[in-house]
Amino acid sequence: MRRSRITGTGSAVPEKILTNVDLEKIVDTTDEWITTRTGMKERHIAAEGEYTSTLATRAARQAMEMAGVAPDELDLIVLASVTPDFPFPATACIVQHNLGAVNAAAFDISAACSGFLYGLSVVDNFMKAGSVKKALVIGAEVLSRIVDWTDRNTCVLFGDGAGAVVLESAEGDRGILSTHIHSDGSYWELLNQPACGSRNPASQKIIDERLMFLRMQGNDVFKLAVRAMEDAALEALAANNLQTTDIDLFIPHQANRRIIDAIGKRLKLNEEQVCVNLERYGNTSAASIPIALDEANRAGRITDENVIVLDAFGGGLTWAAILLRW
Ligand code: ACO
């Protein structure tokens, strides 16, 4: 049986750190509120001249180095982001150029915080079909550029960063065992960036009404996220005849410590099973799962044959789970 196996991981975040205490000077908030309501303590913020493609390229190079894969060996680059360098061309094409991956097709995926798992799912299907042997899947965001720094409801939540994996088609039982992606567009208004697309093109009115910035009805999103992520994780386990006790590492999207704790409780996971790093990065949307995966991998938290569940939720609404054997 051929499976898509992760052979390398990488991640990159900007140097600049913005702490909760720094945020107290920007909006009417406190370290105490942010810590207790979200679990976040600090996030990384891109410098001038640092773009989504910059972070994505750094993360990709690390993943390729670990995998021992040269740029010209790549058949495909898929990049998930809600903050691409431009509406077009695809940021994946810019990364392809930066890497010199001359044989790779490259395109972007828009599925908000679920984007990296959507990307893995798409590439897994290319590999099952036999048309792709080696690929890069990247989640990369510079959310600080679409966050409204006058809105305390959202600006404290997000950070910048990128994570990447090399996927290779390989014989054996290890690799992605199943992917499960879902959407419900009836909730699209809960979480969006109103302007900068065809519905609200650039104008003075857009700037005056601050429609170019991300908007979120956090409370509604919270409740939907817990239920959808629990359902997706259980769906992935059932598809593989596994129980929650079989999970060696559960890597959820890092949106809020309380969301992660609620899912962990519902799935009866213990603390060692669950990967949490949002206290240092905030919510990096499509980048959050690959950054956490890379950190766990480099920290030696993952060993061969481990059962790993990746679980995401985001704007769209979209949600997804992927179960893999390392
Ligand atoms: N500092 C101080 N007070 C604040 C802040 C802040 N930074 N932000 C909000 N408040 C206030 C609100 O104004 C409100 O005050 P009020 O009662 O006087 O109106 C109060 O705190 C409570 O606000 P809630 O929105 O009810 O707070 P909640 O406990 O729901 O936490 C949060 C808000 C953190 C946004 C939470 O709802 C959440 O994490 N939601 C899910 C986010 C998510 O999962 N997003 C999906 C992925 S993101 C993507 O796809 C790009």
Side-chain angles (χ1 to χ4, degrees), residues 25 33 37 44 50 53 60 67 71 76 91 97 115 130 141 151 180 182 196 205 217 227 246 262 326:
K25 294 172 202 131
W33 190 95
R37 304 312 291 162
H44 292 251
E50 209 167 22
S53 61
L76 183 62
T91 304
H97 174 63
E141 304 283 6
D151 176 16
H180 310 268
H182 298 283
C196 305
K205 183 171 169 280
Q217 293 172 38
R227 195 168 339 125
D246 295 315
W326 196 258

Side-chain angles (χ1 to χ4, degrees), residues 29 33 37 113 152-153 191 218-219 255-256 258-259 283 314-315:
T29 191
W33 190 95
R37 304 312 291 162
C113 304
R152 69 175 185 176
N153 289 294
L191 185 50
N219 226 305
N256 188 315
R258 290 184 294 134
I259 293 179
N283 178 350

Side-chain angles (χ1 to χ4, degrees), residues 170-223:
E171 210 50 60
D173 278 345
R174 292 166 56 200
I176 292 177
L177 302 192
S178 67
T179 69
H180 310 268
I181 60 172
H182 298 283
S183 315
D184 185 348
S186 67
Y187 290 109
W188 73 267
E189 284 180 282
L190 286 186
L191 185 50
N192 59 48
Q193 183 187 4
C196 305
S198 63
R199 199 175 286 211
N200 292 308
S203 70
Q204 189 57 48
K205 183 171 169 280
I206 296 299
I207 295 171
D208 293 343
E209 293 178 9
R210 307 181 77 75
L211 296 178
M212 61 290 197
F213 295 125
L214 170 159
R215 292 188 175 184
M216 177 167 76
Q217 293 172 38
N219 226 305
D220 297 328
V221 173
F222 190 109
K223 288 174 220 149

Side-chain angles (χ1 to χ4, degrees), residues 46-47 49-58 79-98 107-109 138-143 145-146 160-162 193 196:
E50 209 167 22
Y51 315 118
T52 297
S53 61
T54 322
L55 300 173
T57 303
R58 275 171 51 200
L79 184 144
S81 186
V82 294
T83 50
D85 284 20
F86 312 104
F88 80 94
T91 304
C93 291
I94 298 166
V95 173
Q96 182 224 23
H97 174 63
N98 290 349
F107 61 87
D108 286 359
I109 281 189
I138 307 168
E141 304 283 6
V142 178
L143 290 157
R145 306 247 159 87
I146 65 159
D160 302 335
Q193 183 187 4
C196 305

